[in-house]
Amino acid sequence: MLKQLVYRRTFCTPGTIKAAVITWFVTSIFVILLNAPAEKDSSTDVVTQELIFVEAKKDSHKAWCKPKTLYTGTRTSIQINLEEKSWTTLDEIHSDVENGGWSPHSCKSRQRIAIVIPYRDRERNLKLMLDHMHKFLKHQQAAYGIYIIEQVANTKFNKAMLMNIGFVEATRDSNWDCIIFHDVDLLPENIDNIYKCSDRAPRHFSLRPSQYRYRLPYKGLVGGVLAFTRQQFKTVNGFSNMFWEWGHEDDDMKNRILDKIGMIARPSLEVSKYKSLEHTKAGRNQYGKHLVVLSKARGFSEGLNTLQNSYRVMSREKRKLFTRVVIDLGDVGNAYANRIIEELDTLMPGAWQSLVYNFAKNNKNNALQEVVD
């Protein structure tokens, strides 16, 4: 009993009580600091080199964006305005657009979208499209940037190669979630045609252009407006760089998607109407069918991976409504036509003529598996 009393007295001395209090205080402070929320670090915002687009933080209080309602009731068609406006007027109308893009302030966009437009000598169409697309995308509450990839007029036009270049130039600016390749002469007519990428497959939008009386021209169509995630575009190795002048580059892309991914995503037919603007077509590619066969025979081994050092950026300008990248492709295209038949004979001696014939007969209706997404 005496030993216990001595022990308790020793433990409860003023010195030991003071030490215990200090220990408890220090421990409490440590626990509070350990469980305190981390200080907000603004450096984690993802910003482009030009400080245009700021990606919302994952822990942001903002809700996901939803497209705005343009009309009451069930009407979702958009009036197409074909009045050409000056550049100054367009800048004033779209005063909230900066450095070629826009993003919503009150909500979070699920994807950040780059619109890539291959272009040469269609200024009226470009003005009409920019006016329409900025309104359209803002109503969809999309975070987006528009890139005009313009080829100088010293050689034959190569739309597919410009799209590959557009992918490279746009992704240098930012890690876009979705890249949409868009003809300058097509305007979407329905607000429910949501511009986004599908995780399942590349997404084709322009099923019913007015130039075909709002009908799907053929089942295998993927031209006009076509979207990829960055990984999907790398998987198909981009577009072929071999298609000089107009035609068949989209048929080649259809085969790449069929070979590497196997399906295409599309919106419903009800929302996929497009206004086709009038324009003068470039010269027709007389070797287009041969090139599709050649690309397939090569196993689609050229494309995005062979783009390096094949073009020169003449200028790069951030304008209010778009980023303008002027490209010189040099004279390399004029040499391709002379090599096509020779290379076909080397790869498939005596057999390529029948392959080209079969392609022309069957390719248009050789459709990909479709998913509505």
Side-chain angles (χ1 to χ4, degrees), residues 304-335:
L304 190 63
N305 65 327
T306 58
L307 188 65
Q308 190 175 7
N309 300 323
S310 61
Y311 68 96
R312 185 160 57 106
V313 176
M314 304 295 290
S315 64
R316 202 176 198 279
E317 176 188 8
K318 283 288 180 184
R319 298 183 62 172
K320 185 172 182 61
L321 300 184
F322 56 93
T323 299
R324 179 177 181 240
V325 185
V326 179
I327 301 297
D328 182 9
L329 298 182
D331 198 43
V332 65
N334 296 324

Side-chain angles (χ1 to χ4, degrees), residues 66-244:
K66 296 181 180 179
K68 294 180 180 179
T69 302
L70 288 182
Y71 303 98
T72 57
T74 58
R75 182 184 176 192
T76 57
S77 60
I78 306 168
Q79 184 177 1
I80 304 294
N81 187 345
L82 297 181
E83 177 189 355
E84 183 180 356
K85 302 176 179 69
S86 68
W87 289 114
T88 301
T89 301
L90 287 174
D91 287 348
E92 291 172 353
I93 291 172
H94 302 285
S95 59
D96 54 344
V97 176
E98 291 294 336
N99 294 320
W102 182 89
S103 60
H105 302 293
S106 59
C107 59
K108 293 187 297 182
S109 298
R110 293 183 181 273
Q111 296 181 357
R112 298 173 64 253
I113 301 166
I115 308 292
V116 173
I117 303 168
Y119 172 77
R120 185 166 74 179
D121 297 334
R122 293 185 186 175
E123 186 173 2
R124 181 178 186 275
N125 286 2
L126 180 59
K127 288 178 177 178
L128 294 175
M129 183 193 185
L130 288 169
D131 187 25
H132 184 81
M133 291 306 300
H134 281 297
K135 294 174 183 176
F136 177 82
L137 292 168
K138 283 187 283 187
H139 275 293
Q140 290 194 352
Q141 297 285 285
Y144 68 90
I146 295 180
Y147 292 81
I148 307 301
I149 313 300
E150 180 177 354
Q151 181 181 340
V152 297
N154 66 345
T155 188
K156 296 175 182 178
F157 191 61
N158 191 322
K159 174 184 171 183
M161 195 170 180
L162 291 180
M163 290 189 281
N164 282 342
I165 295 169
F167 175 85
V168 171
E169 294 297 319
T171 53
R172 281 177 180 169
D173 270 0
S174 184
N175 289 325
W176 301 103
D177 302 304
C178 180
I179 294 86
I180 301 180
F181 300 98
H182 207 300
D183 284 2
V184 73
D185 59 344
L186 288 176
L187 306 182
E189 295 189 24
N190 194 302
I191 196 64
D192 289 336
N193 188 2
I194 304 299
Y195 272 37
K196 65 174 184 178
C197 278
S198 168
D199 292 333
R200 302 174 65 184
R203 194 165 191 262
H204 180 233
F205 296 86
S206 50
L207 307 184
R208 299 168 62 196
S210 63
Q211 70 186 96
Y212 298 112
R213 299 181 181 180
Y214 293 111
R215 297 174 182 173
L216 180 65
Y218 56 93
K219 293 180 180 179
L221 177 70
V222 298
V225 185
L226 182 63
F228 296 83
T229 65
R230 295 193 311 276
Q231 186 54 54
Q232 287 166 357
F233 197 67
K234 292 175 182 177
T235 297
V236 301
N237 195 20
F239 290 87
S240 170
N241 297 314
M242 299 175 64
F243 288 82
W244 299 86

Side-chain angles (χ1 to χ4, degrees), residues 33-89:
L33 292 174
L34 185 64
N35 294 319
E39 182 180 351
K40 183 177 179 180
D41 180 10
S42 61
S43 66
T44 57
D45 284 341
V46 179
V47 186
T48 66
Q49 296 172 357
E50 295 77 17
L51 303 179
I52 315 165
F53 311 100
V54 180
E55 186 178 26
K57 292 177 179 296
K58 292 182 179 179
D59 60 349
S60 171
H61 65 279
K62 294 180 180 179
W64 292 116
C65 293
K66 296 181 180 179
K68 294 180 180 179
T69 302
L70 288 182
Y71 303 98
T72 57
T74 58
R75 182 184 176 192
T76 57
S77 60
I78 306 168
Q79 184 177 1
I80 304 294
N81 187 345
L82 297 181
E83 177 189 355
E84 183 180 356
K85 302 176 179 69
S86 68
W87 289 114
T88 301
T89 301

